[in-house]
Amino acid sequence: MSREPPLLLFEPEVIEGAPASGTLEPLGEQAFVLRGFALPSAPDLLAAIHEAQAAAPFRHLQTPGGLTMSVSMTSCGPLGWTSDPKGYRYTPFDPLTNKRWPPMPPSCLALAQAASRAASLGDFTPDACLINRYEPGARLSLHQDRDEASLDAPIVSISLGLPATFLFGGHARGDRQIRVPLYHGDVVVWGGVDRLRYHGVLPLKEGVHPVTGAFRYNLTLRRAG
Ligand code: SIN
Ligand code: FE2
């Protein structure tokens, strides 16, 4: 990780225990944490999550290896990510309801575009938004995001609710990982030379967040089609 001081993106806001919001922290050449970048949109994003889950409920997906994921997932936007014993894929229809995924909320799209620009990763038009819900103990094992047709588009990942420890590794599974604490309102963006870096989330610690209670939500926006 670079030792240069973080760049200031906007006027900092103080959250207890969290790094100052408004900073851009490099995780790699083309990978950054934008501290607090989603704070102004958080109420809209949470309302959008609640709306999406009413149409496309959270579910624990099965991996191709037959394991049940501890994170509950749903999606919104033209394409949704799904997994079952036949494999990982993006689909225009929710396999649970056989209906299209709920639309991508404008607040989500606008934030993802602004985050990509703030990280100098260019124009970004995501067509898939995966919504992850973590409860204490839920984790995401180390993986690469490689099911997307457009690997030249970045990934924008928004954290809401309880804090988590994000692992950011290299291009090989065994590469050293850095541990990045992520708080309500933080946004991680990675693309370009860092697009295929391994990443994951450590088991969520018990806690109660003033806005989301016992949950952490994560919105991951990608160009999948
Ligand atoms: C993901 O890798 O899809 C989600 C990462 C996160 O929850 O922060
Ligand atoms: Fe991922």
Side-chain angles (χ1 to χ4, degrees):
M1 229 204 309
S2 160
R3 287 172 189 278
E4 282 167 30
L7 304 173
L8 216 54
L9 288 171
F10 53 85
E11 210 46 51
E13 180 176 325
V14 179
I15 301 184
E16 214 184 311
S21 75
T23 54
L24 182 64
E25 278 176 31
L27 302 181
E29 219 180 300
Q30 293 184 290
F32 303 90
V33 184
L34 283 61
R35 293 287 178 194
F37 197 78
L39 281 177
S41 338
D44 283 353
L45 296 172
L46 287 164
I49 292 171
H50 291 302
E51 210 169 299
Q53 71 165 312
F58 280 106
R59 77 284 316 252
H60 292 276
L61 296 170
Q62 298 271 111
T63 67
L67 299 172
T68 301
M69 297 181 76
S70 58
V71 177
S72 318
M73 299 180 176
T74 186
S75 282
C76 61
L79 292 171
W81 186 83
T82 189
S83 171
D84 63 20
K86 284 182 262 163
Y88 304 126
R89 63 198 169 279
Y90 283 95
T91 62
F93 294 94
D94 175 356
L96 201 62
T97 62
N98 292 319
K99 293 193 188 127
R100 287 197 184 276
W101 297 102
M104 188 171 318
S107 53
C108 209
L109 187 63
L111 184 68
Q113 287 171 334
S116 179
R117 276 197 297 273
S120 304
L121 285 163
D123 288 337
F124 177 41
T125 314
D127 58 8
C129 176
L130 174 68
I131 310 173
N132 292 316
R133 188 179 69 186
Y134 295 73
E135 45 196 293
R139 61 188 287 269
L140 200 59
S141 51
L142 213 57
H143 65 280
Q144 288 171 299
D145 286 9
R146 55 181 324 148
D147 303 322
E148 299 73 38
S150 317
L151 291 178
D152 47 353
I155 293 171
V156 172
S157 171
I158 304 165
S159 292
L160 296 167
L162 285 177
T165 302
F166 183 63
L167 301 175
F168 198 63
H171 285 90
R173 184 177 287 280
D175 287 351
R176 194 180 72 89
Q177 299 131 31
I178 47 178
R179 290 178 172 216
V180 187
L182 294 180
Y183 298 90
H184 182 67
D186 288 346
V187 177
V188 187
V189 184
W190 64 102
V193 295
D194 293 320
R195 174 63 179 74
L196 285 173
R197 285 177 64 171
Y198 276 88
H199 58 280
V201 177
L202 289 182
L204 199 77
K205 293 208 177 100
E206 294 280 345
V208 179
H209 188 273
V211 181
T212 66
F215 294 114
R216 170 183 188 251
Y217 294 96
N218 167 267
L219 299 165
T220 303
L221 291 113
R222 310 183 184 102
R223 179 101 205 145

